[in-house]
C-alpha cells in the first residue's frame, strides 16, 4: 500500500521528478493543480519513470477512491432526476477586481446546476497563478480560508459534470493550470470536442504525456507545442485544430481571454460589475452576472475571441475562425439553463412558457382537473399549459433539494421508498383527479415511470403526461451527457410504446415542427440534433444509430 503523504510532499516530489527529465527539443508543459479531495480520501503519490517527453499535471492521484455512479439509471440506486440529459459544466471569468476569487466563487454558486461533481478556481495576482480544485459542490470545495489563498484581480472558475473524462478523478477537475516555457496559463471549458481522440493520439505519438482523461487537456498541449507567437496566435491555432462545442476562458498573469466555437453551441456572455472596479465578467449564464451585481453587456459571438487587458480593462475583439451558421443548443431553453437567465438572447422562462402553451394547443386533455409540473424545470411549461388550456395549475409534486445521490439499497421495497425521498406527491391535490403532468423531456423513461406511479399511489384517477420538447432520438456530442442512442426510449419505441412503458393514460410530446415554429426566423440557428439527427458537426468517433422496436 502506498504511503499517505501531504500535498506539499507531492509537489516537492513532482518537482524532483520533473528536474530529472532529459531536455526535450520541443516545448515542455507542466500542469499543477492543487486538488482538494473528499475528506475521507487519502492522497497518494504515483511515481513515473523519467521520460524525455512533455508532462502535463502533477503526479498526485487518489487511488481507492469510490467512484461516482457511472450509470445514471442504475436500478440499484435512486435514479430520479438522473434520467435527464446533463450539461457538462459552467465557466466564469473575472478580471479587474481585487476580490476576483470571491466573486468567482459566488458566480459558480449561481451556475451550480450546470455541474455538481467538481469545482475549481484559478486566480492571478499579476505575477503568479494559483489554483484550487476539488470534488464536490462549490460550498464543499471553497471556504473563506481557501479563497484567502487565491489573491489577485483576475480569476477563472469552473463547475463540472463530466461528459469527457472520469467523473471521480480529482485530476479532471478544472480549471487546468499549466506552466510552459512562456509562463503560466489556465483554462476552463464548457463543451465537448468531437475530434479529441484523434488529436490526443497524434499528440501522444509526438511525445506528449496526458495526465487526465479530459478533452480540455488537449488544448494546453496544442498551445504548448505551437511554434507561433504571441500567445493569442497560439490560442487561435489551437482552436482551429479542434472541432465541436467549446466556450472557453483562459487566464494568464495579466490577461483574460474568452473564446466561443464558430457554431456557438454553448452559451457565453459578457458583463461588467457595478462595483467601483467596473471589472469585466464572463459567464455561461446571465444568472451568474445577476448574483454578483454585474450588468449584462452582450454575448461572446460564435467564432469570436475577446481579450481583456488587466491593466486598463481594454477589450479587444478578434475573429477566431471564418463565420459558420450559428447552431445554439436548444436544450439550454428546454432544460439546462435557469429560468431567470437570458440565453442566446432569449429569456429562458418565456421560452418554456411558450413551449407549454403550444403543447396545450396541440395536445389538449379534455376533462382534466389539474395541471402539475415535474419540479423544477417543468414549472414554466406547466404554467403555460395550464393558462392556455384553462385548467387549474397546482404544485402537486414537492421536490426535496437536500437529497443528493443516495446509497444502494438491498431490496426493491427500499429502493421504491427511496424515490419518495426526492419527490413527494400532495395527496390533497391529486386524489380522485384527472392529472396533467408536464415535464421537459423523457430520456430513458425510468424517471417518468416512477413519477406516474407516485401520482397513482396518491390516488389520481388518471395520469396524462405532456412533454414540452420533441422525443429525444439521438445522442448529443457537443457537451451534453446523453445516453447512447440505443438507450433512448424514443429511439426504440413510438409514442404509444413509450406510453405503455411508463404507464400513463395518455402521452404527447411537443412536435419538432411546433418547436421550430415557436423559434420563428431563428429556428435554423438552433441545434436540434437530439430530436432530428441532423448534426452540424458530424461526430467522428461514434456511430449514430437508429433503433426501432415493434411495440406490442
Amino acid at each position: 500500500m502506498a504511503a499517505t503523504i501531504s500535498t506539499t510532499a507531492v509537489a516537492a516530489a513532482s518537482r524532483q521528478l520533473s528536474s530529472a527529465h532529459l531536455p526535450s527539443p520541443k516545448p515542455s508543459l507542466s500542469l499543477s493543480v492543487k486538488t482538494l479531495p473528499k475528506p475521507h480520501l487519502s492522497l497518494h503519490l504515483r511515481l513515473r519513470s523519467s521520460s524525455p517527453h512533455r508532462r502535463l499535471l502533477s503526479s498526485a492521484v487518489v487511488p481507492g477512491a469510490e467512484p461516482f455512479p457511472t450509470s445514471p439509471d442504475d436500478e440499484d440506486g435512486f435514479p430520479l432526476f438522473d434520467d435527464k440529459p446533463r450539461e457538462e459544466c459552467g465557466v466564469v471569468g473575472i478580471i479587474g477586481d481585487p476580490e476576483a476569487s470571491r466573486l468567482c466563487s459566488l458566480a459558480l454558486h449561481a451556475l451550480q446546476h450546470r455541474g455538481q461533481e467538481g469545482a475549481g478556481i484559478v486566480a492571478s495576482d499579476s505575477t503568479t497563478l494559483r489554483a484550487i480544485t476539488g470534488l464536490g459542490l462549490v460550498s464543499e470545495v471553497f471556504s473563506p480560508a481557501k479563497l484567502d489563498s487565491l489573491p489577485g484581480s483576475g480569476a477563472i472558475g469552473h463547475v463540472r459534470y463530466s461528459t469527457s473524462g472520469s467523473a471521480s478523478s480529482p485530476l479532471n477537475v478544472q480549471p487546468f493550470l499549466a506552466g510552459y516555457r512562456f509562463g503560466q496559463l489556465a483554462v476552463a471549458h464548457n463543451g465537448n470536442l468531437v475530434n479529441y481522440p484523434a488529436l490526443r493520439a497524434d499528440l501522444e505519438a509526438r511525445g506528449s504525456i496526458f495526465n487526465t482523461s479530459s478533452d480540455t487537456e488537449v488544448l494546453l498541449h496544442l498551445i504548448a507545442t505551437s511554434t507561433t507567437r504571441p500567445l493569442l496566435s497560439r490560442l487561435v491555432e489551437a482552436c482551429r485544430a479542434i472541432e465541436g462545442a467549446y466556450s472557453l476562458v483562459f487566464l494568464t498573469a495579466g490577461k483574460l481571454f474568452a473564446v466561443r466555437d464558430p457554431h456557438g453551441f454553448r452559451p457565453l456572455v459578457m458583463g461588467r460589475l457595478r462595483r467601483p472596479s467596473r471589472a469585466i465578467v464572463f459567464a455561461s449564464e446571465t444568472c451568474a452576472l445577476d448574483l454578483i451585481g454585474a450588468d449584462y453587456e452582450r454575448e461572446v459571438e460564435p467564432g469570436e475571441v475577446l481579450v481583456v487587458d488587466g491593466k486598463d480593462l481594454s477589450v479587444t475583439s478578434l475573429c477566431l475562425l471564418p463565420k459558420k451558421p450559428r447552431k445554439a443548443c436548444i436544450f439550454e431553453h428546454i432544460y439546462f439553463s435557469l429560468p431567470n437567465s437570458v440565453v442566446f438572447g432569449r429569456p429562458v422562462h418565456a421560452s418554456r412558457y411558450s413551449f407549454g402553451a403550444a403543447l396545450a394547443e396541440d395536445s389538449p386533455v379534455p376533462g382534466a382537473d389539474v395541471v402539475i409540473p415535474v419540479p423544477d424545470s417543468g414549472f414554466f411549461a406547466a404554467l403555460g399549459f395550464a393558462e392556455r388550456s384553462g385548467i387549474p395549475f397546482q404544485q402537486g409534486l414537492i421536490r426535496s433539494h437536500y437529497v443528493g445521490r443516495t446509497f444502494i439499497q438491498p431490496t426493491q421495497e427500499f429502493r421504491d421508498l427511496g424515490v419518495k425521498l426526492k419527490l413527494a406527491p400532495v395527496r390533497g391535490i391529486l386524489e380522485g383527479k384527472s392529472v396533467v403532468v408536464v415535464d421537459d423531456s423523457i430520456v430513458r423513461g425510468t424517471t417518468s415511470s416512477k413519477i406516474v406511479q407516485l401520482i397513482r399511489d396518491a390516488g389520481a384517477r388518471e395520469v396524462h403526461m405532456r412533454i414540452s420538447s420533441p422525443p429525444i432520438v439521438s445522442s448529443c456530442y457537443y457537451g451534453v451527457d446523453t445516453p447512447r442512442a440505443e438507450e433512448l426510449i424514443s429511439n426504440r419505441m413510438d409514442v404509444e410504446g413509450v406510453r405503455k412503458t411508463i404507464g400513463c393514460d395518455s402521452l404527447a410530446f411537443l412536435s419538432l415542427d411546433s418547436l421550430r415554429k415557436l423559434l420563428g426566423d431563428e429556428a435554423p440557428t438552433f441545434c436540434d440534433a437530439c430530436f432530428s439527427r441532423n448534426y452540424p458537426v458530424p461526430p467522428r468517433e461514434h456511430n449514430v444509430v437508429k433503433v426501432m422496436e415493434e411495440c406490442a
Side-chain angles (χ1 to χ4, degrees):
M1 178 176 177
T4 303
I5 62 174
S6 67
T7 304
T8 303
V10 168
S14 298
R15 287 193 296 271
Q16 290 175 352
L17 285 171
S18 297
S19 64
H21 291 174
L22 298 174
S24 170
K26 294 183 179 181
S28 62
L29 177 68
S30 63
L31 191 150
S32 61
V33 180
K34 182 179 179 183
T35 302
L36 303 178
K38 291 282 190 181
H40 68 280
L41 302 180
S42 296
L43 186 64
H44 298 274
L45 178 66
R46 180 177 63 196
L47 299 180
R48 283 198 178 91
S49 59
S50 296
S51 166
H53 301 307
R54 294 175 296 278
R55 295 176 58 85
L56 184 64
L57 279 180
S58 66
S59 51
V61 298
V62 187
E66 295 183 5
F68 287 20
T70 57
S71 173
D73 271 319
D74 185 352
E75 290 299 327
D76 288 331
F78 305 147
L80 207 58
F81 306 117
D82 286 338
D83 186 23
K84 294 286 184 184
R86 289 174 179 261
E87 173 59 52
E88 182 181 8
C89 41
V91 299
V92 175
I94 299 173
I95 192 165
D97 192 285
E99 300 291 331
S101 62
R102 280 183 165 77
L103 290 166
C104 190
S105 71
L106 290 173
L108 291 178
H109 275 285
L111 299 177
Q112 188 75 85
H113 60 286
R114 300 184 75 90
Q116 300 87 45
E117 289 177 349
I121 293 175
V122 173
S124 169
D125 62 2
S126 299
T127 58
T128 304
L129 272 61
R130 298 175 177 86
I132 292 179
T133 68
L135 295 175
L137 303 177
V138 176
S139 59
E140 296 171 331
V141 175
F142 295 103
S143 64
K146 293 294 187 295
L147 293 172
D148 285 340
S149 68
L150 294 172
S153 60
I156 62 173
H158 190 270
V159 288
R160 178 175 190 268
Y161 175 83
S162 65
T163 64
S164 174
S166 172
S168 60
S169 173
L171 292 179
N172 282 331
V173 182
Q174 299 180 37
F176 291 157
L177 172 58
Y180 72 126
R181 60 176 176 164
F182 295 114
Q184 290 180 291
L185 177 67
V187 60
H189 170 210
N190 176 25
N192 201 55
L193 307 181
V194 300
N195 64 336
Y196 157 69
L199 288 173
R200 175 166 176 158
D202 179 68
L203 286 162
E204 287 179 326
R206 292 189 283 126
S208 291
I209 296 176
F210 282 74
N211 291 269
T212 77
S213 55
S214 169
D215 59 348
T216 308
E217 188 181 353
V218 79
L219 278 164
L220 294 172
H221 283 282
L222 290 170
I223 291 170
T225 57
S226 171
T227 58
T228 63
R229 296 284 298 272
L231 173 61
L232 180 59
S233 297
R234 290 171 171 264
L235 190 153
V236 170
E237 184 178 80
C239 288
R240 285 176 175 167
I242 60 179
E243 296 177 9
Y246 52 91
S247 287
L248 303 159
V249 285
F250 292 89
L251 184 66
T252 65
K255 292 183 179 180
L256 177 64
F257 301 79
V259 184
R260 198 163 165 217
D261 70 78
H263 286 292
F265 286 109
R266 310 251 65 84
L268 189 62
V269 298
M270 173 182 166
R272 192 179 292 269
L273 286 176
R274 292 190 290 271
R275 290 158 60 101
S277 67
R278 301 294 290 163
I280 300 293
V281 183
F282 296 99
S284 294
E285 291 183 41
T286 59
C287 62
L289 305 182
D290 296 337
L291 181 63
I292 63 174
D295 293 319
Y296 169 80
E297 292 198 350
R298 69 178 182 91
E299 285 189 322
V300 178
E301 294 298 324
E304 183 181 28
V305 54
L306 291 173
V307 186
V308 185
D309 193 316
K311 294 179 180 178
D312 57 8
L313 298 187
S314 60
V315 181
T316 303
S317 172
L318 298 151
C319 181
L320 176 68
L321 291 168
K323 189 173 182 180
K324 296 183 180 180
R326 193 190 82 161
K327 290 294 180 180
C329 175
I330 188 55
F331 239 95
E332 292 285 350
H333 280 267
I334 291 169
Y335 176 67
F336 296 136
S337 298
L338 285 186
N340 58 317
S341 285
V342 176
V343 176
F344 308 133
R346 289 173 169 256
V348 174
H349 77 278
S351 292
R352 292 179 185 168
Y353 181 95
S354 68
F355 298 160
L359 188 59
E361 290 185 353
D362 294 347
S363 304
V365 186
D369 301 306
V370 65
V371 176
I372 69 169
V374 175
D376 294 310
S377 55
F379 181 88
F380 282 98
L383 190 61
F385 190 102
E387 293 189 0
R388 184 63 57 89
S389 63
I391 303 171
F393 173 90
Q394 293 279 0
Q395 196 79 5
L397 294 171
I398 307 301
R399 179 180 177 180
S400 172
H401 293 270
Y402 309 103
V403 180
R405 291 187 182 271
T406 40
F407 55 89
I408 294 173
Q409 293 287 353
T411 67
Q412 185 62 47
E413 178 185 2
F414 279 92
R415 285 197 291 270
D416 292 340
L417 290 174
V419 172
K420 296 179 182 179
L421 288 173
K422 295 188 175 184
L423 265 189
V426 182
R427 182 174 290 271
I429 292 174
L430 304 174
E431 192 169 22
K433 303 290 181 60
S434 174
V435 181
V436 180
V437 185
V438 180
D439 201 358
D440 58 85
S441 59
I442 295 180
V443 183
R444 294 181 178 92
T446 51
T447 294
S448 298
S449 63
K450 289 177 172 61
I451 290 172
V452 169
Q453 191 58 51
L454 278 175
I455 294 169
R456 290 200 188 280
D457 291 345
R461 186 177 79 254
E462 297 174 348
V463 181
H464 302 274
M465 291 291 295
R466 293 295 182 267
I467 308 302
S468 60
S469 66
I472 299 174
V473 296
S474 195
S475 300
C476 176
Y477 303 104
Y478 310 130
V480 178
D481 184 47
T482 50
R484 295 186 302 272
E486 57 267 29
E487 298 178 71
L488 299 169
I489 191 169
S490 292
N491 188 45
R492 297 185 290 109
M493 304 178 184
D494 62 12
V495 174
E496 176 61 15
V498 176
R499 184 199 67 78
K500 290 179 178 179
T501 299
I502 68 177
C504 57
D505 293 284
S506 74
L507 169 66
F509 294 84
L510 182 67
S511 70
L512 184 55
D513 286 343
S514 293
L515 175 62
R516 289 172 173 170
K517 183 178 179 181
L518 291 168
L519 296 173
D521 293 340
E522 288 191 330
T525 71
F526 282 89
C527 176
D528 56 21
C530 53
F531 308 132
S532 65
R533 301 188 181 92
N534 295 323
Y535 289 96
V537 180
R540 289 192 176 185
E541 312 299 330
H542 308 272
N543 292 321
V544 181
V545 298
K546 178 180 179 181
V547 182
M548 290 298 294
E549 295 178 351
E550 183 178 350
C551 302

